[in-house]
Structure formats: C-alpha cells, structure tokens
Amino acid sequence: MITGNGAGTEGGGAVASPHGAYRPRPPAYPGVPPQGMAPHPPAYPAPAPPTEIERALAVAVAGGGGDAVVEVLARTRLYVLVARLHADIPGWTAPLPTIRDEATRRTCVPVLTPGMLPPWHPEWVFRAVTLGELARTWPYNVRRLAVNHGTPYPAMVDARPKHLKAWLRADEHSGGHEHGVLLTDTGGPLYGPLAHGLALGAHLAVTNGLIWNRLGAAYEDYANDRARLRSPWGIPHRAEYRDRLASLMKNQLVGRVQEGVLRTRHTLAARLGRTPTREEWSAAVARTFAARDADDRAPADRSLHHIARYEDRLRADGALAPDGRVDTLAAFDLGRAVNVVRLALGARYGDPHEAEQDVLRIGALARGAYPSWADFSLGYLMARLVHRAEDDGPDAAESTYRQSLAEHRTLTQDPSSPYRNIPWS
C-alpha cells in the first residue's frame, strides 16, 4: 500500500527522534508551515519538487503503483536522522528510528529523500541508506516506511516481510543510486555569487549523483563525509581541513610541473601573439626546465605529451575549439576546494556561514583564472585526465576520458545546468 501522509503533521515530525529531540530548531521543509502555525488549507498548491527525485516520487505516488514507488526509492539515497553523539561511537550503528503517524496511528520508520533534508544542525546528522539496507536491518515489529513524512512529497510504504523481499530485489536490480546525473535543488542557490561558487564543484557532484547547489546537513552523509576527508585528503580534524583548503585555494595541489608546462606555453603565446606549435612549445619547456631541477624534465615532457594528446582528442570531439587551448589546471584545485568545503560542513568541521564565505572566495579566484564556464570545465577535465594518465597509464585513463567528456557536455549543454544559467562574470 502506497499513500501520502496524513494531514496536519508539523515539519518537525518528519525526522523527530523517538525522544522528541531536535526541538530547539526543528527541520523545516519547502511548503511546510513553521512550528506553531496552521498548515496550508487543502487547496493551497504544493511547491515545486526540490529535485527530480521528489518529482519522480510524487508521480509514482499519484499513479498509485507500489512497484513504481519502490523503484524510485531503490534508485536514490535515503536519509535517516542520527544524533551526532551516536554517530561518533566507533563500530556502532544506531538502530533505525521510529515515529507514530497520527493519521494512521501506526509506528513507522521515517526516511528522507535528498531534496527534503532540513537545514544544517551541529548535533544532528544523517546516515544515507539504500532500500536494501533498510530491508536487511528492518525492525521486526514495524510495518510502515514513512518517506518524507510531514512534507509536501510523502509516501507511506508497506513494510511487511513480503514487501521487504521486494525491496531487496528492487535494490539489486537498480544497482543503487544513480551516478552521472545533474541534480539541482530548486530551493538552493540558483543565481548570484554563492550559486556561482557552488557550481565550480559540479563535476564531482555529477560524478557522484549528488546535489550541486547545497550547503546543508550533508554532502553524502556524515560518516562518508568524514571518511572522504580522511582518505584521500588526509584530513582528520578542523585544523588540517583549514590548512588543506588554503593549499587548494592557492593551487598548490594540482601539480607544479604540469602547471609549469602550461605556463610556459601561455608565456610563449603572449610573446608570439599566437598559440605556439608543438615543437616551439617543447623547445620552450626544455629551456625552462633545464634551468630548474633536472629531475623535473622527464615529468614535464610526459605532461606536455598528455596535454597535447588530450587537447587533440577534445578538438576532435568538439569540446575544444580548433584554435583553443587549456592554459591552467587551477580549476581542478578550485573545483575540489568547493567539494572539500561541503564535505567539511557535512563532517561538522565548520558551520554554514564559514562555508559560504569560503565558497564565495573560491568563486572569485576562479573568475580571475578563467574567462568562461567552458574554459573552467576544460581545465578541470584536463587535470583529471593528465593525472590519471600519469598515475595509471593512458589506457587506464580512457574510461576517465569518456566519463569526463560526458560530464563536461552535461554541464555545458544541459539547459538546466548552472553553466548555462549563471553568468560567469
């Protein structure tokens, strides 16, 4: 049985803990009146779904098909509220929370879809789960899953044993949440400097199937946000986070040799008044690196080869103009910096105000380094390709090329992309 929630539920009821915690500032959702205010009358139109996930869920619920709702839920991350105190206990996972649905007087397990997460809170965090994980850890005496309870986009899903088996099949069939998709939160920043800064991190958001324009309760989820900071970033605490972010904002991690190779060509082009030939560039690199550490000469030659090769491929695929070139890989550090900020916010290494200020600074740095979204995206793509080719070889980088080109095209061609809707300067 799939239904919408009963009416008259306050926004705070959607994710309240069994002991009524999260009371000082209960979560608020688009279209849900603040605590203490009367709900909208029935005729009041629901707001637009925050993301494509909620839109698909609403369509499935309206169609009345239980299988369709389960299929939507199997393709997305679902979020469970957890006290940070519990989330920080090593080796222990808090049991699934339960709430009482006043409309049906039944006990339910509440979960949220990505677009319905409430604002950031210092002591309450979220754990991302799949439909299969829910089925495997389901409380034996609970028979309902309450999705987005108390919001404009609810679904009440039967959770009897036969339904749990169907969840497992759907989860296995779906392969988990979607990757390589552009997810926009219509309630988040869409225009202006903050949206511009957040859009710099859109490549990784698309790669991981995460919302690109949010500074909120979670990037992926609390545990994964902290784990991603530890590896590969080596960030176990706030002090290290601030140091690493400063390095990214100074473009100190993208690769000194690779940047030197591109800077050599850019300087030569400015002197010649045109893009130098491959031979002219190679000779200039030889002179430049001969005056530096001799150990850098071989890596510089390899970098030049990879950059030239991928520029030729990008021209052939229509992503780079015939006379175009990549002049800096700074986009890789700046784009990753935005994602590190979002991870640190999710890990509670900073607060939303600090994160917002950092994103604004990163946006200003990007505008100083690139003339357009397309140039920024190509710089990011090139850095990713060169590093993969140098670390694992050109053959291993082939899948990275296809994935990166697809993401570049999504961001530069999709009508809903921030790169098509936010002015660069």
Side-chain angles (χ1 to χ4, degrees):
M1 179 180 178
I2 308 292
T3 68
N5 280 54
T9 306
E10 293 181 339
V15 292
S17 76
H19 305 292
Y22 213 173
R23 292 292 188 195
R25 186 171 296 177
Y29 307 95
V32 176
Q35 199 169 36
M37 292 180 61
H40 296 306
Y44 193 92
T51 77
E52 178 63 23
I53 293 168
E54 288 74 36
R55 188 202 66 79
L57 180 63
V59 169
V61 170
D67 291 344
V69 171
V70 168
E71 182 180 339
V72 171
L73 298 179
R75 296 198 310 268
T76 186
R77 294 175 178 86
L78 301 171
Y79 288 90
V80 175
L81 182 70
V82 182
R84 183 179 169 191
L85 179 67
H86 295 163
D88 285 337
I89 298 175
W92 185 74
T93 299
L96 293 172
T98 57
I99 60 170
R100 180 178 174 83
D101 176 46
E102 295 303 326
T104 62
R105 299 186 180 279
R106 292 179 180 270
T107 300
C108 313
V109 169
V111 297
L112 297 170
T113 53
M116 301 312 299
L117 291 184
W120 184 93
H121 190 286
E123 299 303 331
W124 289 93
V125 298
F126 284 90
R127 175 165 66 94
V129 295
T130 66
L131 197 61
E133 289 176 73
L134 287 176
R136 287 187 288 271
T137 59
W138 194 258
Y140 74 94
N141 59 342
V142 179
R143 296 292 180 262
R144 296 289 182 92
L145 172 66
V147 182
N148 297 336
H149 190 269
T151 80
Y153 305 101
M156 192 70 75
V157 185
D158 276 330
R160 295 179 175 86
K162 67 176 182 179
H163 297 105
L164 300 182
K165 292 178 181 178
W167 295 4
L168 290 169
R169 290 193 298 270
D171 182 65
E172 182 178 358
H173 178 73
S174 72
H177 63 268
E178 294 182 283
H179 292 78
V181 294
L182 178 65
L183 275 180
T184 300
D185 180 357
T186 59
L190 297 174
Y191 303 100
L194 182 58
H196 182 285
L198 288 170
L200 299 174
H203 290 85
L204 276 175
V206 170
T207 298
N208 296 307
L210 296 165
I211 293 170
W212 68 266
N213 63 328
R214 175 182 288 166
L215 285 174
Y219 180 50
E220 185 172 350
D221 74 351
Y222 180 69
N224 280 298
D225 292 348
R226 292 173 72 90
R228 284 175 181 261
L229 287 173
R230 287 193 300 271
S231 177
W233 287 107
I235 298 175
H237 48 67
R238 173 176 167 79
E240 187 65 37
Y241 156 58
R242 298 308 301 177
D243 287 346
R244 192 57 53 90
L245 179 62
S247 296
L248 285 166
M249 292 172 73
K250 295 175 183 176
N251 303 327
Q252 293 178 340
L253 303 184
V254 71
R256 175 180 54 83
V257 171
Q258 294 87 347
E259 274 292 274
V261 169
L262 286 174
R263 193 179 306 112
T264 297
R265 181 174 64 175
H266 180 71
T267 301
L268 182 59
R271 188 167 72 243
L272 297 175
R274 59 172 173 80
T275 298
T277 65
R278 172 77 177 270
E279 291 73 21
E280 291 171 330
W281 182 21
S282 182
V285 166
R287 291 191 299 271
T288 299
F289 283 86
R292 301 182 183 179
D293 189 339
D295 291 341
D296 287 343
R297 176 63 191 277
D301 288 340
R302 287 196 300 271
S303 295
L304 187 153
H305 170 75
H306 292 315
I307 292 167
R309 176 174 180 265
Y310 286 120
E311 283 183 338
D312 287 342
R313 289 198 64 180
L314 290 168
R315 291 188 190 99
D317 286 328
L320 183 63
D323 60 346
R325 66 176 189 260
V326 175
D327 281 337
T328 175
L329 306 181
F332 198 52
D333 273 0
L334 297 176
R336 292 186 300 169
V338 171
N339 286 278
V340 167
V341 169
R342 296 184 64 191
L343 287 168
L345 183 62
R348 300 324 190 249
Y349 289 162
D351 60 44
H353 175 74
E354 178 185 64
E356 182 175 317
Q357 296 305 306
D358 287 331
V359 170
L360 291 173
R361 283 194 289 271
I362 296 167
L365 292 170
R367 288 191 294 275
Y370 293 94
S372 70
W373 283 115
D375 287 293
F376 174 86
S377 183
L378 288 167
Y380 186 95
L381 183 156
M382 181 62 72
R384 180 188 274 178
L385 293 172
V386 170
H387 284 298
R388 181 69 193 279
E390 292 183 353
D391 291 343
D392 302 317
D395 291 341
E398 182 59 30
S399 61
T400 303
Y401 179 84
R402 292 194 299 270
Q403 174 188 324
S404 299
L405 181 60
E407 292 170 1
H408 173 77
R409 286 173 169 162
T410 295
L411 289 168
T412 57
Q413 298 176 12
D414 189 316
S416 66
S417 167
Y419 291 14
R420 297 290 301 274
N421 293 283
I422 301 174
W424 175 257
S425 60

